[in-house]
Amino acid sequence: MATTSSNSDAGITSTRILIIGTGFAGLGMAIRLQEMGIDDFIIIERANDVGGTWRDNRYPGAACDVPSHLYSFSFEPNADWSRVYPSQPELETYLQKVANKYQLRPHIRFNHNLREARFDDASGRWLVRSSGGDFSARFVISGNGGLAEPKLPDIPGVEAFAGHHFHSANWDHDYSLPGKRVAVIGTGASAIQFVPEIAGVPAKLSVFQRTPNWIIPRGDRPYSRIEKWLFKYIPITRKIVRAKIYCQNESRVLGMVLHPSLMNLFRRSAIKHIERQVADPTLRPKLTPDYPIGCKRILVSNDWYPALQKPNVEVVTKGIREVREHSIITQDNIEHEVDCIIFGTGFYATDNPIAAMIYGRNGEQLSQTWQNGEEAYLGSSVHGFPNFFFIVGPNVTLGHSSMVYMIETQVQAISRILQASDESNSATVEVKLDVQREYNEGLQKLLGGSIWATGCDSWYKHRTGKITQLWPGFTFTFRRRNRNFKRSDYIFSSLQNNN
Ligand code: NAP
């Protein structure tokens, strides 16, 4: 059981460490704390079960585009993955099993949505307010998810639409699509998964594409019984598969960061893919991007192009001018009447709303600190916000491999800082400003020469144009940098000299 004390006067529950979220990050951190012998922690979770993004994104066809044997905890392998790319239900079940196996549920406060986290300079503790109750914690570790807040497009009139509408991350499974005129706005990683699943269902499906994506074939297939047997009884086979996927993915960094011209190999594959699947001479150019491959996330799909060519499907590329009560007006003044709009328009990534809820030393609001783009040290610590750590904070996202690997790296790194803080008997630990600055200057230098800076717009970029989402390198380099943890990068303070 979680050993927490409750200050009944103020109705505030006191805990040593408060974790936000129960996705891979929150669960992974909690397991590490248990390993360290720390039991005094609480996890707040806004929903009524664990799973994070893999609980929320339930749209038809939702799946991961990183192979299952790499997209899982290294310490909790699963010989039973049904196929190369895991589906959403399989990933959600995996995370539920992990939470059960490590007996994390007693630590979790479900239906507790974060409202505010405020650092108290005098006590050196965080006051965390949530929809389900308030907490006082010495440390806060946020595994809130980089892609957790669905974003609706800023199209004039969108709020006036009177038909049915929902976002891909809040799929309305009760809404019946047959016979309806349905619009999909957005053609990103989510849309290319759900559009093929629903394409033949409505009377008419209009897919509004602002920018085409580069798409390569998806090498998916079920694992055979023999393979699963081997993974289970001869674990080295599973490890070899994992290592092979890892190395293949890492090799992409050569093109993405070091030598962008190498990305032409992917371009050839993507061009061949579209040539094989789209014969129509008017449709093919509409679907072919004019920016370098890899600048936006490379998507994988075998059924996106065929779905767009179904007789009831149209691809609209003219750009949306406005949305009216029952229609969408494009730039060419054509009115597209629709009964339902499905938004596949992504998430608040570079402008994560959580930043407006966090107040550090002297009441400094994180969204203000980050107004010109998010910055942290090693994606987890921000100067001015003592004892607060992000998992999957700024510049940790990958364009090429598994986020679970990055999460495990950060979990280990945070645990080392916690240990150092204990050993030095300090009340607060905070990254030094010059260390954070120097680190970010180095990142931006690398990012400036990367494929992501070659002129496209993407959710990797803050509105200022700064790339604040991506780690510009190999994942093992990130791990090495985190391992080479230097105490001198941080200020360990007692309360007296905290201010
Ligand atoms: P996304 O990649 O950000 O795509 C959003 C789409 O909406 C884009 O096509 C964008 O067009 C369009 N859009 C946004 N605002 C618009 C507007 N005002 N008018 C017209 N179109 C507009 O979002 P997502 O598809 O939800 O995917 C987000 C990320 O989630 C992915 O990149 C990936 O990292 C993750 N994801 C992963 C998986 C997986 O398999 N692991 C699956 C799904 C999602 P523009 O391109 O022109 O901006």
Side-chain angles (χ1 to χ4, degrees):
M1 277 294 288
T3 52
T4 53
S5 55
S6 180
N7 173 346
S8 56
D9 287 347
I12 295 172
T13 305
S14 187
T15 183
R16 182 166 174 220
I17 299 171
L18 185 122
I19 299 173
I20 302 167
T22 62
F24 272 102
L27 297 182
M29 191 71 235
I31 293 166
R32 177 72 192 119
L33 292 181
Q34 285 180 331
E35 259 175 28
M36 294 166 75
I38 299 174
D39 196 42
D40 186 3
F41 66 90
I42 284 177
I43 315 176
I44 58 168
E45 167 53 62
R46 65 183 176 183
N48 60 8
D49 206 346
V50 302
T53 196
W54 298 109
R55 173 203 59 228
D56 293 342
N57 285 270
R58 299 173 165 271
Y59 57 78
C64 186
D65 56 15
V66 176
S68 44
H69 282 284
L70 187 61
Y71 198 84
S72 37
F73 286 126
S74 58
F75 57 85
E76 202 49 57
N78 175 17
D80 247 3
W81 288 118
S82 66
R83 48 194 315 119
V84 173
Y85 290 99
S87 67
Q88 175 270 330
E90 211 171 358
L91 279 164
E92 188 183 16
T93 305
Y94 171 82
L95 288 168
Q96 287 171 345
K97 280 187 183 162
V98 168
N100 295 341
K101 176 173 170 184
Y102 290 87
Q103 298 178 14
L104 295 176
R105 288 182 189 272
H107 289 270
I108 304 173
R109 303 292 175 269
F110 290 109
N111 303 308
H112 281 55
N113 197 4
L114 178 74
R115 289 197 171 136
E116 184 183 284
R118 195 176 276 275
F119 184 69
D120 175 37
D121 300 77
S123 65
R125 294 180 71 85
W126 284 87
L127 176 63
V128 178
R129 300 193 181 280
S130 82
S131 57
D134 299 340
F135 302 86
S136 163
R138 185 158 162 232
F139 296 98
V140 177
I141 303 172
S142 183
N144 58 291
L147 300 169
E149 303 298 335
K151 192 172 188 172
L152 294 186
D154 49 358
I155 300 170
V158 75
E159 64 295 333
F161 182 66
H164 199 70
H165 56 96
F166 53 89
H167 189 278
S168 57
N170 297 309
W171 195 271
D172 184 352
H173 287 275
D174 293 331
Y175 184 72
S176 168
L177 294 170
K180 306 281 172 36
R181 296 163 301 177
V182 176
V184 169
I185 301 182
T187 54
S190 302
I192 75 152
Q193 292 185 338
F194 70 73
V195 164
E197 297 294 315
I198 63 165
V201 182
K204 185 172 181 191
L205 182 69
S206 306
V207 177
F208 290 82
Q209 173 194 269
R210 187 165 66 178
T211 317
N213 281 290
W214 285 108
I215 298 169
I216 56 173
R218 184 179 176 86
D220 196 16
R221 64 175 180 82
Y223 281 120
S224 68
R225 274 178 40 209
I226 296 172
E227 282 173 305
K228 286 198 238 174
W229 185 93
L230 287 170
F231 295 155
K232 186 166 183 182
Y233 294 106
I234 309 179
I236 186 74
T237 57
R238 180 179 38 71
K239 287 182 186 164
I240 289 170
V241 167
R242 183 176 161 99
K244 185 171 162 246
I245 303 165
Y246 178 79
C247 294
Q248 274 171 347
N249 284 354
E250 288 307 303
S251 69
R252 294 182 181 187
V253 174
L254 297 173
M256 287 176 160
V257 184
L258 304 176
H259 304 287
S261 60
L262 289 177
M263 294 307 288
N264 280 331
L265 293 173
F266 286 100
R267 190 174 187 280
R268 249 174 261 149
S269 160
I271 291 280
K272 261 196 203 149
H273 191 42
I274 195 167
E275 283 175 355
R276 259 196 312 265
Q277 292 201 327
V278 185
D280 181 338
T282 51
L283 184 59
R284 198 192 280 172
K286 285 184 184 177
L287 300 176
T288 307
D290 60 2
Y291 54 85
I293 189 165
C295 187
K296 282 171 176 288
R297 191 180 170 96
I298 300 173
L299 306 183
V300 288
S301 175
N302 297 334
D303 47 13
W304 168 248
Y305 294 134
L308 298 182
Q309 294 167 83
K310 290 199 181 230
N312 65 325
V313 178
E314 66 167 346
V315 181
V316 184
T317 56
K318 275 300 174 201
I320 302 173
R321 200 184 68 204
E322 64 173 292
V323 174
R324 291 188 185 158
E325 269 197 345
H326 298 287
S327 61
I328 295 173
I329 315 291
T330 38
Q331 298 293 355
D332 52 2
N333 283 330
I334 292 179
E335 180 163 19
H336 306 257
E337 292 194 353
V338 293
D339 303 305
C340 172
I341 301 179
I342 305 174
F343 295 104
T345 42
F347 300 85
Y348 288 96
T350 55
D351 40 6
N352 199 317
I354 195 172
M357 302 177 197
I358 300 169
Y359 295 83
R361 226 165 352 93
N362 305 319
E364 185 179 337
Q365 191 180 24
L366 187 56
S367 53
Q368 282 298 311
T369 311
W370 281 355
Q371 58 184 313
N372 295 319
E374 311 90 282
E375 264 191 24
Y377 180 51
L378 296 169
S380 70
S381 310
V382 184
H383 180 75
F385 297 80
N387 292 4
F388 194 105
F389 304 99
F390 280 102
I391 304 174
V392 193
N395 292 105
V396 175
T397 296
L398 298 176
H400 71 282
S401 193
S402 170
M403 283 310 296
V404 183
Y405 183 96
M406 299 298 267
I407 286 169
E408 284 191 45
T409 300
Q410 288 199 288
V411 161
Q412 291 293 340
I414 292 167
S415 70
R416 280 192 283 271
I417 301 171
L418 295 179
Q419 239 157 10
S421 169
D422 271 3
E423 283 161 19
S424 61
N425 214 11
S426 62
T428 63
V429 51
E430 177 182 357
V431 65
K432 289 178 180 167
L433 185 58
D434 57 332
V435 170
Q436 182 182 314
R437 284 208 177 126
E438 199 183 313
Y439 171 80
N440 278 281
E441 278 164 18
L443 285 189
Q444 290 304 321
K445 219 168 163 184
L446 282 170
L447 286 162
S450 73
I451 196 74
W452 307 299
T454 50
C456 71
D457 197 13
S458 74
W459 61 264
Y460 300 150
K461 287 180 179 165
H462 185 256
R463 61 178 176 275
T464 53
K466 185 174 160 187
I467 300 172
T468 57
Q469 291 294 304
L470 289 164
W471 167 250
F474 299 107
T475 60
F476 55 81
T477 314
F478 184 69
R479 187 159 284 189
R480 199 173 53 225
R481 282 209 71 156
N482 276 275
R483 266 205 195 123
N484 296 343
F485 162 68
K486 279 203 290 202
R487 282 186 188 218
S488 57
D489 289 344
Y490 296 85
I491 309 159
F492 293 90
S493 306
S494 58
L495 280 183
Q496 289 88 319
N497 57 13
N498 191 35
N499 290 314

